[in-house]
Amino acid sequence: MPLSDFLGALKDNPYFGAGFGLVGVGTALALARKGAQVGMIFFRRHYMITLEVPSRDKSYHWLLSWITKHARHTQHLSVETSYLQHESGRVHTQFDFHPSPGNHIIWYKRKWIRVERTREKQMVDLHTGTPWESVTFTALGRNREVFFSILQEARELALKQEEGRTVMYTAMGAEWRPFGFPRRRRPLSSVVLDVGVAERIVDDVKEFIDHPKWYTDRGIPYRRGYLLYGPPGCGKSSFITALAGELGYSICLMSLSDRSLSDDRLNHLLSVAPQQSIVLLEDVDAAFISRELLPTENPLAYQGMGRLTFSGLLNALDGVASSEARIVFMTTNFIDRLDPALIRPGRVDVKQYVGHCTPWQLAQMFQRFYPSAAAGEGERFARRALTAHSELSAAQVQGHFMLHKDDPARAMENVANMQE
Ligand SMILES: Nc1ncnc2c1ncn2[C@@H]1O[C@H](COP(=O)(O)OP(=O)(O)O)[C@@H](O)[C@H]1O
Ligand SMILES: [Mg+2]
């Protein structure tokens, strides 16, 4: 029986007829829908390429900057504010604009690329309390080259910003985020410490970096701690920044008096600090007062759960185990306020006093600032300065030179009027 006859016979059958009509329309619709779906999947699979980058990935921040640069016309921005409070009370804030979550279209290498930044509302990073994010790039075609080229460009853009510069990181939740634009490297010679002090530390750090095997062979954790102590304005922080520049390292800056810092978080942060970086804990005395004073005189330090405790800090310092050299610098204005447990060898291996200017330092600074001044003028300045003032910080002297920028004679004459 030919097919048409068979269908005709079915249709004539009263029982099948009605059903046949219904089934026919339903199936056709379902088929069409299915077809469209399959077609879409097929199209996506064969004519579209996508790249998903989760926020955990190292390239995520590079890509956000890349997108910001390329999606210049987007009207939908989100802001990321970095906030950093120094012990001195000085506050740094910076606003970074990024494309907001949603879709952005970018014209790149003669292709339209859709960039979707998604934020998972249900999934929250337990460490940071921030939502999980990802960016997805979608382009037409089958050539993945375009993604490679985007990633490359994003990386180069990031590296170019960092070249010859020192990147500062601060802790944001459980991660280290670059803070502000990378700063131009400060030459070591611009920080004048007393005779041999800078050399001693630089040699020590370099020696440490060059000998990982010495540590692993002996089963000693590959880390080294330094403490610079002394009055404010004498160059502790500047020296560490310059040292990082000299080594080509970045700086992970952390304030122990940060109220949101808990034992666990500190521990985690120290273990995930970026490679080739110096962890800098400024003003360590401010976070804890020697345990003997506790808890009556400083009940705060031991207060409550989720706060940083002194033993938590010691554990975090001891626990840093890394195949990378882990360098921790601490600074304080008051070494006598520090608990001896914090500065015993293994936690602090090198202690260095950075004090008020010696005659040698004053002469050096004068000569550096006024290179054309006659030989011997530096020494004369030093003598005059120390006759008029019993102690001078390098910051004070620098401030004085700034007042007499191109005038060494006036700087010499007015030395007695130097600002306290
Ligand atoms: N030894 C030094 N040589 C050159 N400049 C210095 C020196 N010490 C301090 N300064 C200047 O004084 C300012 C404050 O110095 P800083 O490093 O923050 O001091 P500290 O950390 O010891 O309190 C900086 O601008 C720095 O350039
Ligand atoms: Mg300082």
Side-chain angles (χ1 to χ4, degrees), residues 256-266 287-288 299-313:
L256 292 184
S257 45
D258 176 351
R259 289 272 156 245
S260 69
L261 196 61
S262 67
D263 290 356
D264 283 345
R265 212 179 129 218
L266 177 67
F288 308 100
L300 266 185
Y302 276 113
Q303 203 181 62
M305 288 271 296
R307 288 275 166 77
L308 182 66
T309 63
F310 185 72
S311 60
L313 170 64

Side-chain angles (χ1 to χ4, degrees), residues 117-337:
R117 183 173 174 202
T118 46
R119 188 170 277 175
E120 295 279 346
K121 289 214 175 57
Q122 286 86 3
M123 288 211 309
V124 171
D125 186 331
L126 287 179
H127 282 297
T128 53
T130 50
W132 283 97
E133 288 189 4
S134 64
V135 274
T136 308
F137 292 76
T138 308
L140 287 178
R142 310 174 70 157
N143 191 352
R144 285 184 290 175
E145 282 302 312
V146 66
F147 291 153
F148 284 117
S149 122
I150 291 178
L151 283 166
Q152 287 257 352
E153 233 181 65
R155 193 193 59 195
E156 275 158 25
L157 198 73
L159 293 185
K160 201 152 88 209
Q161 278 185 350
E162 293 172 9
E163 206 176 61
R165 283 162 196 265
T166 307
V167 185
M168 306 283 280
Y169 290 92
T170 50
M172 290 264 282
E175 306 175 75
W176 292 99
R177 298 254 180 104
F179 174 77
F181 290 106
R183 295 144 198 231
R184 200 175 295 266
R185 278 187 195 158
R186 178 170 183 157
L188 258 180
S189 56
S190 75
V191 185
V192 183
L193 301 186
D194 200 6
V195 193
V197 169
E199 291 76 10
R200 177 168 100 97
I201 299 175
V202 173
D203 290 349
D204 190 282
V205 175
K206 285 188 173 164
E207 166 83 17
F208 168 70
I209 292 173
D210 289 341
H211 293 94
K213 201 166 167 298
W214 191 91
Y215 288 80
T216 43
D217 285 353
R218 287 161 184 76
I220 302 172
Y222 190 32
R223 59 164 186 259
R224 200 151 174 87
Y226 299 82
L227 175 73
L228 302 187
Y229 62 101
C234 293
K236 299 181 295 293
S237 309
S238 321
F239 174 74
I240 298 166
T241 316
L243 174 70
E246 164 82 15
L247 299 170
Y249 273 40
S250 44
I251 292 185
C252 293
L253 185 60
M254 188 147 60
S255 165
L256 292 184
S257 45
D258 176 351
R259 289 272 156 245
S260 69
L261 196 61
S262 67
D263 290 356
D264 283 345
R265 212 179 129 218
L266 177 67
N267 216 339
H268 176 80
L269 283 167
L270 285 187
S271 60
V272 298
Q275 300 190 337
Q276 309 212 314
S277 61
I278 289 177
V279 175
L280 174 54
L281 308 177
E282 288 262 40
D283 305 301
V284 275
D285 57 274
F288 308 100
I289 294 178
S290 182
R291 271 183 297 179
E292 282 131 49
L293 300 179
L294 291 168
T296 40
E297 292 180 46
N298 185 25
L300 266 185
Y302 276 113
Q303 203 181 62
M305 288 271 296
R307 288 275 166 77
L308 182 66
T309 63
F310 185 72
S311 60
L313 170 64
L314 298 187
N315 283 334
L317 288 173
D318 292 344
V320 177
S322 140
S323 51
E324 271 280 316
R326 174 58 62 233
I327 301 170
V328 179
F329 266 87
M330 299 184 222
T331 67
T332 181
N333 296 340
F334 310 97
I335 193 175
D336 49 335
R337 288 192 192 166

